[in-house]
Amino acid sequence: MAEPRASLHPRRRRIDGVTAGLTLLAIIAFAVVAGPWLSPYGYDEQALALLGQPRPPSLSHWLGTDELGRDVLTRLLYGGRISLAVGLAGAAVATGAGTLIGALAGYFGGWIDQLLMRFTDVMLSIPALPLVLVIAGLIRPAPTLLVLLIATLIWPGAARLVRSHVRSIRKLDYVAAAQTLGAGSARIIARHVLPNAVPAIAVSATIAVGGAIMLESALSFLGFGIQPPVPTWGNLLNEAAPWLVSAPWMSIPPGALILLSVVAVNLVGDGLRVRGSGL
């Protein structure tokens, strides 16, 4: 009696992991979307009486204020909008590009596969953060450009994952039947291959989201992302760095939200991968 119950535990843990990840993401998303509307403060509103020194949490400022008298909680939630929006948009563009390149390489094979995969390998060999820092140093990135920069650096992972899945799908009987009936390559890829590659695409998308959030936060922390006074989790950490010991309420919340967002996304991605593999 004990053995069947034990054999179900891994499956239950995986389902709980996916549920926990989605629940945590939903809570964070709700907070950053609705929070600033519920706050009585603006993200750049200053309390002149509180200038000069960060003030600890109080009933009027639940996470305290920064050295400019701005409410930390309001800036944290508003900054979450920017960080998550840039991260999700970058991941969406990267997943779309990676899916297209991976599908073409996996389906056609031959010289097309060699050309696209060698290009992908070159992109993977480039150190992501130094390259973005150089580009961002030359051109101060607006949100749209920042999304494109992030997508440019994380699409190769999606391309390799989708290619591997498509290579196995193209050998299946229904693809051969569609080719025999005269269906074009574009139709076969769109109608037969990509729908069956959805598990791989979903996994690559979750991996891309986590990477995009981390990359955006790193860029903003280093001063090459969205510029103050508009807050993001990354530049909030940058602003809190001089006060790390004396005012930890400024640095811990944005760091914790970055960590929780990435962990939640990874939980969802791992669960989707396991389910897609049939384990």
Side-chain angles (χ1 to χ4, degrees):
M1 296 294 292
E3 291 183 1
R5 286 198 298 270
S7 66
L8 290 175
H9 287 175
R11 176 66 174 175
R12 288 175 180 171
R13 282 198 296 269
R14 288 163 189 155
I15 293 175
D16 290 345
V18 175
T19 303
L22 290 175
T23 301
L24 184 54
L25 282 175
I27 293 172
I28 294 173
F30 176 79
V32 301
V33 170
W37 290 343
L38 302 177
S39 173
Y41 308 104
Y43 74 85
D44 58 349
E45 180 181 343
Q46 295 178 275
L48 298 181
L50 302 177
L51 288 176
Q53 187 77 15
R55 304 300 172 93
S58 63
L59 291 178
S60 56
H61 300 280
W62 289 3
L63 289 181
T65 60
D66 62 13
E67 74 279 10
L68 297 179
R70 299 173 297 190
D71 184 68
V72 171
L73 178 59
T74 302
R75 289 178 60 76
L76 178 72
L77 296 178
Y78 190 93
R81 290 182 177 184
I82 308 298
S83 292
L84 291 182
V86 171
L88 290 172
V93 174
T95 302
T99 297
L100 176 62
I101 292 174
L104 293 176
Y107 180 80
F108 289 108
W111 67 269
I112 294 178
D113 182 30
Q114 291 293 322
L115 178 63
L116 293 177
M117 286 301 100
R118 295 299 75 74
F119 176 62
T120 301
D121 290 340
V122 169
M123 294 299 299
L124 284 171
S125 68
I126 298 174
L129 193 55
L131 175 63
V132 173
L133 291 178
V134 170
I135 297 174
L138 296 174
I139 306 173
R140 285 291 180 183
T144 302
L145 180 57
L146 189 60
V147 166
L148 294 177
L149 284 175
I150 292 172
T152 299
L153 293 169
I154 61 178
W155 68 261
R160 293 180 69 88
L161 187 59
V162 172
R163 169 190 177 264
S164 176
H165 206 70
V166 169
R167 281 173 62 87
S168 62
I169 292 174
R170 71 173 183 176
K171 301 175 183 177
L172 299 179
D173 292 341
Y174 64 84
V175 175
Q179 292 171 336
T180 302
L181 292 174
S185 297
R187 180 180 177 84
I188 293 174
I189 292 173
R191 295 290 299 274
H192 302 290
V193 174
L194 288 181
N196 288 282
V198 166
I201 296 171
V203 171
S204 66
T206 58
I207 294 172
V209 169
I213 291 174
M214 289 292 292
L215 191 53
E216 186 282 327
S217 298
L219 286 172
S220 295
F221 175 75
L222 295 172
F224 292 92
I226 305 300
Q227 298 298 303
V230 177
T232 70
W233 289 339
N235 65 33
L236 287 177
L237 284 174
N238 183 299
E239 294 173 358
W243 309 95
L244 186 60
V245 176
S246 60
W249 60 85
M250 292 176 58
S251 57
I252 292 176
L257 283 179
I258 293 171
L259 174 63
L260 290 174
S261 298
V262 174
V263 168
V265 169
N266 287 340
L267 283 173
V268 175
D270 184 64
L272 292 175
R273 178 186 58 79
V274 172
R275 291 182 184 185
S277 65
L279 297 176

